[in-house]
Amino acid sequence: MGNDEMISRNACYWIWITLSIGYNNPKVKRISEMYSDVSAFYYGGISEWRLCGIFSQRELEKFSSTRLEDAQKIIDRCIECNYSIICIDDKLFPTCLYNIECPPALIYVNGTIPDVDNTFSIGIVGTRRATKYGIENSYRFAYALSKYGTIIVSGGALGVDGASHRGALATDGITICVRGCGLNCSYLRENADIRSTIPKRGAVISEYPPDETPRNYYFPARNRIIAALSDGLLVMEAGKKSGSLITANLAAEQGKTIFALLGNNSPQNEGSNTLIKEGLAIPVTDFMDILCEFDNLYATDDELDIDNISLADTGNFPVKGIRKQAPARIYVNKQNDEQTVVTEKSTAPKNTEAAASKPVHKENLNLPQTAQDVYEYIGNEPVHIDKISADLNIPVFKVLTALTMLEMKGLVSALQGRNYILK
C-alpha cells in the first residue's frame, strides 16, 4: 500500500476543519451528519457555513482565514513519516468511536488500528506514580487478557499505562496507545521503546497533528477516545484527583462497564477504592473477574495460571517519582518449615497459639448487612474469598465490595492468594 493510499480521501478538509474550530468539538459530528461529502461544506463558503446555524462568529471567521494549504502540509508530513489518516467519514473509522457525543474529526495512526468494533477490548488506566503492586497487576492483567484475544487500550503514560502495553506485547497481543500529543512528539521518552514496538502489533494513535506538543487539556480530551475504544475500563491505581477517574466517568457516560483493582488505603488507591465503595466500579483481583462479566464472548475452559507470569522485569518499568521499595522479607514457621512472604506493608506472622485464639469482633459498627455478615464470618485463620462467597451464599463481587469496606475501616487484612483474615 502506497503512502497516499493510507490517507482518507477527505483528510485535507477535515484537517482544515480542526485547524479552524479546534479539537474535541461536538460540531464535527454535526458536520458529518449534514454533509455526505465534506468537500461540499468547504466549497460552500461563508454563506453555507452561516446556513448551518451552529457556528459562532469567531468560528466563521476562522473558517475564512484558515488555508487549505496548511492542512495539506500536515498530510505531507504524515506521508513522510508513513502515518495513516483515518477520517470520521471513512469506512475504516471505528463505529464505537463515531457513536460518542464528541468523536474526533480524524485520527492519525502509526500502525494498523485493529477491528475494535468486532473484537473485545479493555482499557487499562491508572496513576503514573504506580506502586509495585499496581505495576505488576497492570502487566499481569494485560498479559492474561491478551492471551484470551483481548485488545488492550491505554494512554502510553508512565506507570500503569506503560506496564499494561508491555503486558500485552509480552504475549504478542494487540494493543492501542492513544496519545495526548502528536505521534512525532518525544514526550515521555521513557516509553519510546513501546511506542516503537506497538505499531507492529496494533497502533499508536492521536487526534492531534504529528508534531503537536502536549497541552494540559489535551489529556482529558484524549481519555474519551480510550473509553470509546474499550468495551470495559479497568482502573488499576488512581488517586482521588487522578485523570483516570475522568476516563472512568467518560466510560460510564458511554455505557461501558467499569472495573477497579482492589487496593490498600495508600494515596494511589484512594480514587479507585472510592469508585468501588460508591458502586461505580466492579472490584476485581483477577483477570477472570473481567471475563466473567462478558462470559458470552468467551469459552474459558482452559485455565491460565496468572500467578506464574514472569514479573522479573516489571521493577524496571518507568514510573513517575518512583521510590525504591524495601525488599520482601521471608519468615519461616519452624514447626512446618512453611515460608511466608511479608512485604513492607504487612507484619510478621503471629505465633500459632495466638492465631488459634477465638476471633474478637468489634460491635456497633453500623455496617451494611452484607459487610456485617462477611465481617462476622472472618476469623483469625486465613479464609479464601470463594469460600466466604459459597458459605454465605453471597456473589463474589458483593463479597469483594464488603471486604474493601472492611479493609478501609481497618477491620480485616488481605493476604496473598485472595485470602482474608481478621485484623
Side-chain angles (χ1 to χ4, degrees), residues 392-410:
L392 296 180
N393 195 27
I394 299 173
V396 170
F397 79 90
K398 290 187 177 181
V399 174
L400 284 170
T401 302
L403 288 168
T404 300
M405 179 181 296
L406 296 174
E407 278 192 271
M408 294 175 71
K409 289 180 176 292

Side-chain angles (χ1 to χ4, degrees), residues 133 236 261-266 269 272-273 276 404 407-408:
Y133 176 75
M236 272 297 176
L261 178 71
L262 277 173
N264 57 24
N265 290 330
S266 69
N269 292 309
S272 42
N273 281 344
I276 296 172
T404 300
E407 278 192 271
M408 294 175 71

Side-chain angles (χ1 to χ4, degrees), residues 168-390:
L169 293 172
T171 184
D172 207 24
I174 298 174
T175 184
I176 301 174
C177 170
V178 187
R179 300 204 76 191
C181 57
L183 299 180
N184 266 358
C185 183
S186 60
Y187 177 66
L188 297 179
R189 291 184 179 88
E190 298 93 332
N191 279 342
D193 61 331
I194 57 173
R195 290 198 300 272
S196 64
T197 304
I198 287 174
K200 302 171 186 176
R201 292 294 305 157
V204 180
I205 71 173
S206 175
E207 67 176 315
Y208 307 109
D211 298 309
E212 187 76 5
T213 56
R215 304 185 184 188
N216 287 339
Y217 53 87
Y218 282 177
F219 294 97
R222 176 274 309 269
N223 293 345
R224 80 192 193 283
I225 298 177
I226 294 177
L229 297 176
S230 308
D231 291 302
L233 184 79
L234 171 59
V235 181
M236 272 297 176
E237 284 186 323
K240 61 181 179 181
K241 294 183 179 180
S242 172
S244 303
L245 302 183
I246 297 175
T247 313
N249 289 331
L250 290 168
E253 290 173 4
Q254 295 174 15
K256 307 301 176 68
T257 304
I258 314 299
F259 304 91
L261 178 71
L262 277 173
N264 57 24
N265 290 330
S266 69
Q268 286 92 338
N269 292 309
E270 191 169 349
S272 42
N273 281 344
T274 298
L275 289 176
I276 296 172
K277 185 177 179 180
E278 295 181 353
L280 302 176
I282 298 172
V284 297
T285 58
D286 185 275
F287 79 102
M288 286 302 298
D289 296 332
I290 296 174
L291 294 188
C292 286
E293 287 295 313
F294 301 91
D295 56 1
N296 59 313
L297 299 177
Y298 288 92
T300 54
D301 293 334
D302 297 331
E303 292 188 3
L304 176 64
D305 187 2
I306 191 172
D307 291 325
N308 286 331
I309 295 173
S310 174
L311 303 174
D313 296 328
T314 55
N316 297 320
F317 294 171
V319 175
K320 186 173 182 180
I322 187 170
R323 294 181 179 178
K324 200 167 184 179
Q325 297 194 6
R329 293 166 290 168
I330 299 179
Y331 291 84
V332 179
N333 187 318
K334 294 181 178 179
Q335 292 184 352
N336 54 20
D337 291 332
E338 180 181 351
Q339 292 185 347
T340 302
V341 177
V342 181
T343 67
E344 61 179 326
K345 292 293 184 180
S346 59
T347 58
K350 299 178 182 179
N351 63 56
T352 306
E353 292 181 4
S357 62
K358 185 178 180 180
V360 179
H361 295 90
K362 298 179 182 179
E363 299 180 356
N364 303 321
L365 294 172
N366 295 320
L367 296 170
Q369 189 58 52
T370 299
Q372 184 68 40
D373 291 343
V374 172
Y375 176 57
E376 292 177 356
Y377 178 89
I378 295 175
N380 292 336
E381 293 293 331
V383 58
H384 195 275
I385 189 172
D386 290 342
K387 180 171 175 55
I388 301 173
S389 174

